[in-house]
Structures are given as C-alpha cells and as structure tokens.
C-alpha cells in the first residue's frame, strides 16, 4: 500500500482503487478460514464507476470485512482513534477513509462535507446510519447524515442488509470469532430525492430482510 500511495495521489486521489484492492484481498484472506459470505441481489449494485451512498445495518466489527466482498471502492467513516491502530489504521489512512470525532459537532459537519466532496469526485461512500454498532442485536433508527449527503450530491442510496455478523463476532466481544455464514442482501437503489424519504425507504428495505424481532421500534 505504501508503494502504491504516490501513484494514487497522482492519478486516483479520490477513489484510490489500488489501495482498495489491497483492502479487499486482505479482508477476504483474513476471514476465509472463519466464515463464508453469501451475496443476494448483486444485480442491484450500481456500476463500479457510479458514485453512490451505500448504507447498511451495523452489528459487528466484521461488517466492514464482509462488505469488501462487494468489490466496490467505497470510503467508510470511522472514529479518529481507529486510524491510530497499527497497520489497520494506517491502511485506512492510505485508502482515504474518512475520520470523525463523534463528540465534536464541527468534526461531524466536516465529515459530511468531505463525503459530499468525494461523491462529486466520483468516489462512493459507505455509511452505517445507525451511527454505531448495535448493542442489542437489533437495527435502530437511522440518523439523517448519510441521506442528506446523498440528496445534496444527487446520487442514489444503496440499502444493504447484513445478516449473521453479530452472531459470529458480537459487539463488545471482539476477542471472539465463531465459524459460520454471513449473508449480504443488496436491495434496489433508492433514487435521489429528499433526505427524509430516502432514509425511510432505505430503512424499510434493510428491515425487510431481517426478522421482525431484530428491528427495534422507531
């Protein structure tokens, strides 16, 4: 990744596809022996060169590793402190993922502005619109940021349901990893419109593939 960094800065500053390719191989090799990934709805994925906002429920630390199986060079948002983790955090920096300080309102606004700029430059962005990993295994109400960014940039939102990651590595128990299978369900894209409508449609789509007991009341 260090060897590719000068190249991506010169020729692919925003999408950084070479760095993302390393991330994808890394994620697949890291999880290959522990769990398999089944993908449903691949035909709903936008073309790789079309910027979009990808949104997913958030159950586990494994969610990011799993979503790399989609082969889309998205940029995801992560706490600033995660970028300090040796190797993992450094790779996030080299790939151009977006930092956020969740307790700093200015950082939150800068994060959304940066995501909007990436979309305008042809890069896609991944949000977990619940804001953090679920503590009880259920999907909770979405925050508006991802959909405001999509509405302003006039790009589609691609809702994705992750099923099973929370069972294999529960939240706050990252020292555990059980074998099994994870399912990704890609739903039809939500066309650009007002943020509230996009949020409601994406929530309904993601919830449609989850058991009712795993969707918290709004």
């Amino acid at each position: 990744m260090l060897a590719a960094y000068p190249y991506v800065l010169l020729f692919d500053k925003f999408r950084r596809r070479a760095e993302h390719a390393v991330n994808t191989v890394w994620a697949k090799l890291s999880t290959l022996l522990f769990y398999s990934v089944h993908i449903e709805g691949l035909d709903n994925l936008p073309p790789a060169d079309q910027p979009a906002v990808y949104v997913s429920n958030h159950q586990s630390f494994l969610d990011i590793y799993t979503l790399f199986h989609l082969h889309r060079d998205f940029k995801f948002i992560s706490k600033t402190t995660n970028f300090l983790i040796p190797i993992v955090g450094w790779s996030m920096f080299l790939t151009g993922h977006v930092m956020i300080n969740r307790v700093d309102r200015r950082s939150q606004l800068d994060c959304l502005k940066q995501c909007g700029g990436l979309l305008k430059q042809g890069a896609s962005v991944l949000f977990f619109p619940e804001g953090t990993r679920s503590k009880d295994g259920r999907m909770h109400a979405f925050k508006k940021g991802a959909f405001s960014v999509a509405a302003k940039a006039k790009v589609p939102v691609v809702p994705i349901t992750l099923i099973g990651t929370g069972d294999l590595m529960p939240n706050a128990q990252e020292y555990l990893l059980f074998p099994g299978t994870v399912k990704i369900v890609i739903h039809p894209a939500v066309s650009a419109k007002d943020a509230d409508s996009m949020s409601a449609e994406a929530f309904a789509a993601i919830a449609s593939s989850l058991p009712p007991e795993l969707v918290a009341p709004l």
Side-chain angles (χ1 to χ4, degrees):
M1 293 184 73
L2 282 171
Y5 193 61
Y7 170 85
V8 298
L9 284 184
L10 286 172
F11 302 108
D12 194 18
K13 181 178 179 180
F14 299 100
R15 293 181 63 184
R16 304 192 184 188
R17 283 163 285 188
E19 305 289 26
H20 189 86
V22 176
N23 287 182
T24 299
V25 172
W26 181 0
K28 287 189 170 186
L29 291 178
S30 298
T31 58
L32 181 64
L33 297 178
F34 301 100
Y35 68 91
S36 59
V37 177
H38 173 71
I39 304 176
E40 180 180 305
L42 271 173
D43 54 329
N44 290 322
L45 275 180
D49 59 353
Q50 177 182 341
V53 171
Y54 295 85
V55 295
S56 171
N57 58 314
H58 199 11
Q59 301 178 337
S60 168
F61 186 77
L62 295 179
D63 293 344
I64 288 290
Y65 283 84
T66 302
L67 288 168
F68 276 120
H69 286 73
L70 297 180
H71 294 278
R72 290 297 183 269
D73 51 299
F74 51 73
K75 303 292 175 274
F76 62 80
I77 297 163
S78 187
K79 294 185 297 184
T80 303
T81 52
N82 287 341
F83 286 79
L84 303 177
I85 300 172
I87 301 178
V88 173
W90 305 339
S91 75
M92 290 163 57
F93 172 79
L94 293 172
T95 310
H97 297 301
V98 182
M99 299 183 191
I100 186 170
N101 182 344
R102 291 177 181 164
V103 299
D104 184 343
R105 178 63 177 166
R106 181 177 295 179
S107 173
Q108 295 171 13
L109 294 174
D110 287 345
C111 169
L112 295 179
K113 184 177 180 180
Q114 186 176 348
C115 289
L118 286 166
L119 289 165
K120 289 180 180 178
Q121 295 293 334
S124 292
V125 182
L126 167 69
F127 283 84
F128 294 113
E130 294 167 89
T132 188
R133 292 193 294 273
S134 173
K135 292 180 173 59
D136 59 9
R138 299 185 297 171
M139 184 172 74
H140 291 264
F142 287 174
K143 300 181 186 301
K144 194 175 178 179
F147 309 98
S148 297
V149 169
K152 188 172 182 179
K154 296 181 171 57
V155 300
V157 167
V158 182
I160 297 169
T161 306
L162 289 173
I163 304 169
T165 54
D167 296 327
L168 303 189
M169 183 181 282
N171 184 32
Q173 298 183 55
E174 284 74 23
Y175 51 86
L176 297 176
L177 178 53
F178 301 104
T181 300
V182 169
K183 185 177 181 181
I184 303 174
V185 182
I186 307 161
H187 303 278
V190 177
S191 59
K193 51 176 73 74
D194 66 278
D196 289 334
S197 297
M198 297 176 86
S199 177
E201 290 184 37
F203 186 94
I206 295 171
S208 70
S209 293
L210 292 171
E213 62 271 17
L214 292 185
V215 181
L218 295 176

